[in-house]
Amino acid sequence: MGVKPLEYPEEVKGILSFDFDGTLFLPENEVSLEPIFYETIAGLRDEGWLWAINTGRSLLYMLEGFQQGGFPFAPDFLVAREREIYTAGDQFGRWHRVEEWHAHYMRDMAHFMEESAEFIEMMKRYIEDETAAQWIEEEGDPAGIIASSEDEMLGIAAFVEQERQSYGLVGVLRNSIYMRFTHKDYHKGSSLQELARRVGVPVEQVFAIGDGHNDIDKLHPEVAGMIACVSNSQEEVKEYVRGHGGYVAEGHGSLGSVEALRHYLGCEDKLLHRPL
């Protein structure tokens, strides 16, 4: 049986959006998320704040993440693969896809695949002939790349940015050595905007935190009025957050996330003062 969400609040105050890997879960620690994170979220839920996990993981992989992170209760929403929106389900912990949003995505992706086929084929030839990276194709995604190193990915990303200017629908989701191509309108930012629309909260009442390049879309001031990143974030993300008036935490992972929540929402000071 999966984890279940807390009882839905009578009045929604805002929404809190977290990336999972790196922002909350640090696999190198081989421990669950810090208990103070769940205590903080439970307290904010009592005040009417909903929360979401917004991740590049698939739904099934994220269900494993709930076990890895020791989740005592489920988030109210889950965004899988940056754009698949799910609502927390029934007493058995089953998740329900938001079909209206999914139908829009499938329609737009069909248009994207038709309009961008030439770009995808060109990129496949470039990756296979000119780089040490791996070209991958998965169900539900037009294509992706796994670079041999982060330095190689930076070079590939520069090439992609140059070439995709002639293809108006091409969007790029990148994190570390991984890259995926998708429709430009579907990413963590647009998914978070849809969540806020569905629960009826203004941008000023949206908190977003991440650590990787694929989080930048949701760390935009037009998406979230409160933006932050943890100290183990990629430098590009830290620079972006600082440049847009956000908060860069001193703590890693879930402790850094609690620190950012305290900065914006004045949560009770319960941080564990111990080495990370």
Side-chain angles (χ1 to χ4, degrees):
M1 183 178 294
V3 290
K4 297 180 291 186
L6 299 174
E7 184 176 351
Y8 202 85
E10 293 184 4
E11 182 177 352
V12 174
K13 191 170 185 178
I15 189 165
L16 314 170
S17 173
F18 302 86
D19 171 50
F20 183 66
D21 292 288
T23 303
L24 295 179
F25 181 64
L26 299 174
E28 64 270 22
N29 287 359
E30 297 183 351
V31 296
S32 302
L33 275 63
E34 296 289 352
I36 187 62
F37 172 76
Y38 297 118
E39 295 173 18
T40 301
I41 293 297
L44 290 171
R45 279 293 271 98
D46 288 342
E47 297 177 10
W49 290 89
L50 301 177
W51 73 299
I53 298 294
N54 196 331
T55 178
R57 291 191 181 207
S58 66
L59 173 62
L60 290 178
Y61 190 23
M62 190 58 233
L63 295 182
E64 293 180 11
F66 291 150
Q67 294 182 326
Q68 291 173 311
F71 279 49
F73 50 86
D76 301 286
F77 301 99
L78 169 62
V79 177
R81 297 204 297 181
E82 284 105 356
R83 83 275 178 170
E84 297 175 357
I85 301 177
Y86 295 87
T87 58
D90 52 32
Q91 60 180 327
F92 300 104
R94 291 178 292 205
W95 292 82
H96 300 290
R97 187 170 65 189
V98 176
E99 294 298 343
E100 179 186 8
W101 173 259
H102 183 68
H104 284 300
Y105 168 75
M106 295 299 292
R107 178 202 64 201
D108 290 343
M109 274 301 291
H111 185 206
F112 165 83
M113 292 297 290
E114 180 180 351
E115 294 292 322
S116 307
E118 181 181 277
F119 171 83
I120 296 298
E121 182 59 30
M122 180 271 294
M123 282 303 308
K124 181 179 181 179
R125 292 197 304 270
Y126 166 73
I127 293 300
E128 293 180 341
D129 297 343
E130 305 293 335
T131 76
Q134 178 184 358
W135 181 262
I136 56 174
E137 296 180 2
E138 298 179 349
E139 183 178 358
D141 282 311
I145 299 167
I146 304 177
S148 61
S149 67
E150 292 196 18
D151 285 342
E152 182 182 52
M153 177 53 76
L154 290 176
I156 291 172
F159 179 81
V160 168
E161 285 304 307
Q162 174 183 322
E163 296 298 323
R164 77 183 181 111
Q165 300 308 312
S166 301
Y167 300 87
L169 294 182
V170 176
V172 176
L173 300 174
R174 174 165 64 91
N175 191 22
S176 184
I177 62 171
Y178 304 98
M179 176 183 286
R180 280 208 307 267
F181 299 110
T182 188
H183 191 292
K184 67 178 181 62
D185 292 338
Y186 293 88
H187 43 69
K188 288 189 177 185
S190 58
S191 299
L192 179 52
Q193 285 179 311
E194 175 64 12
L195 287 183
R197 185 194 69 81
R198 292 181 68 84
V199 299
V201 300
V203 65
E204 294 79 13
Q205 294 299 101
V206 177
F207 168 90
I209 187 168
D211 72 293
H213 186 276
N214 63 339
D215 293 308
I216 288 178
D217 288 316
K218 76 170 187 174
L219 299 177
H220 194 284
E222 293 182 2
V223 175
M226 297 171 281
I227 62 173
C229 66
V230 290
S231 63
N232 53 293
S233 299
Q234 297 171 3
E235 286 304 316
E236 182 179 0
V237 178
K238 292 180 181 179
E239 291 175 8
Y240 180 90
V241 170
R242 291 190 186 103
H244 288 79
Y247 182 76
V248 177
E250 295 182 2
H252 284 39
S254 57
L255 287 181
S257 294
V258 171
E259 180 187 332
L261 288 170
R262 292 177 57 245
H263 171 78
Y264 282 113
L265 302 177
C267 306
E268 184 178 352
D269 185 4
K270 296 180 180 179
L271 276 177
L272 304 177
H273 297 286
R274 57 188 171 104
L276 294 168

